[in-house]
Amino acid sequence: MINVFTLLAIPVCLFMGSWQLGRFETRVNTHHQQQDEASAGRKAAARPLGDLLPVTVKTSGERATATGRYDTAHQLLVPDRRLDGRDGFYVLTLLRVDEGKDGGRGEGKDAGRRGEDTAEDGAKALALPVVRGWLPGDADDPAATAKVPAPPSGEVTVTGALQASEHQGGDGVSASGGLPHGQLGMISAASLVNLVPYRVYDAWVTSAEAPGALKPVPPTVAEGTGLDIKAFQNLGYTGEWFVFAGFVVFMWFRLFRREAETARDLALGITPPEPTAPTAPGADPTPDDAERTRSPSAPV
């Protein structure tokens, strides 16, 4: 029985280990492919925002361009963001873009209704969150916030890397609330719904050029493209299945050697006899016992 189990268990363990290893290699190859595509997208010419929406794994990080006017009344600071190993904050300004102009294609399903429009002359306006740069320091420190340059007035064209809206659990994202007025914990249309009186794109752009003391914020890797914990779980499972196969071989060898040693001892006569059960007091002796206790002179 143990031999049948061993013959079945070893191929199963080896197959499962090879399958998990293949899953890990697939994730690694996909990661490298997505990195190459993202690098090519960052080097390619900037495209209108509307051509890149909705944000996907493929379009995340690509260079986008949008034209509009900065809303200076709704500039926000995003605290607790690290860059180059230092703590600081993002400077986010909303770029008002007229619908149908520089990205108006396809935003109906991406922007969503984010309050009532207040654009002049009845124009339907959208806003694109633009991270103009990063500053070191605390967003609550007046000395640090005094270094934030004012956004330019008039019509501007912004070029930067397109990014998907942040979500709870992301790196540096604060979704606990309770931030002071003028601060934002998570860059997303959902977090801006009660802060601005117009619709907001379900995306944001990190500007390639940062004015004044600001530093440009590099684009983040799209979710699901890195070597996340799932990839290393596959690698760990690979090792576990191969260890299981080795353990089956080890246990089979132990049992086989024990059986061989028992057979050898029996052949040599060195195996101790099995103990017999003691006879209860008053019980009739067995025929063997009666035979052993019979007097030698008693007739047969």
Side-chain angles (χ1 to χ4, degrees), residues 6-246:
T6 302
L7 291 176
L8 294 176
I10 292 177
V12 170
C13 292
L14 294 178
F15 170 78
M16 293 300 298
S18 300
W19 180 74
Q20 290 288 351
L21 181 60
R23 293 277 295 173
F24 173 74
E25 292 176 346
T26 300
R27 290 181 182 274
V28 171
N29 294 335
T30 302
H31 169 65
H32 291 324
Q33 181 181 357
Q34 291 170 341
Q35 278 190 326
D36 295 339
E37 292 177 353
S39 178
R42 287 191 291 269
K43 295 177 181 178
R47 292 194 288 166
L49 177 65
D51 294 345
L52 301 174
L53 294 177
V55 184
T56 63
V57 172
K58 185 176 181 180
T59 60
S60 179
E62 289 197 23
R63 299 180 67 216
T65 181
T67 300
R69 295 175 180 271
Y70 278 121
D71 182 3
T72 58
H74 292 95
Q75 180 162 271
L76 300 167
L77 304 180
V78 186
D80 302 325
R81 298 303 175 104
R82 294 181 63 84
L83 184 64
D84 298 333
R86 303 173 63 188
D87 293 328
F89 56 91
Y90 293 167
V91 178
L92 184 145
T93 311
L94 292 160
L95 182 72
R96 298 286 295 272
V97 180
D98 291 339
E99 190 170 6
K101 179 181 181 181
D102 286 322
R105 294 171 296 221
E107 74 285 309
K109 60 181 178 181
D110 302 309
R113 187 67 182 176
R114 305 298 177 189
E116 298 180 356
D117 297 332
T118 59
E120 298 178 357
D121 300 328
K124 295 181 180 180
L126 291 165
L128 173 66
V130 177
V131 172
R132 298 196 297 127
W134 173 89
L135 274 175
D138 192 344
D140 296 324
D141 185 5
T145 58
K147 300 178 182 178
V148 176
S153 59
E155 189 174 78
V156 295
T157 298
V158 176
T159 301
L162 183 66
Q163 301 283 268
S165 290
E166 295 181 334
H167 58 85
Q168 187 174 359
D171 187 19
V173 175
S174 174
S176 58
L179 294 175
H181 177 72
Q183 294 187 17
L184 181 70
M186 181 169 60
I187 307 174
S188 68
S191 61
L192 290 165
V193 63
N194 296 320
L195 299 180
V196 295
Y198 38 74
R199 294 182 296 166
V200 179
Y201 282 101
D202 191 17
W204 57 284
V205 166
T206 171
S207 179
E209 298 180 358
L214 296 177
K215 289 186 176 181
V217 175
T220 59
V221 178
E223 184 178 1
T225 60
L227 292 178
D228 54 11
I229 186 64
K230 292 183 179 180
F232 292 101
Q233 282 179 345
N234 292 134
L235 187 61
Y237 294 151
T238 299
E240 287 181 359
W241 282 112
F242 289 148
V243 169
F244 291 158

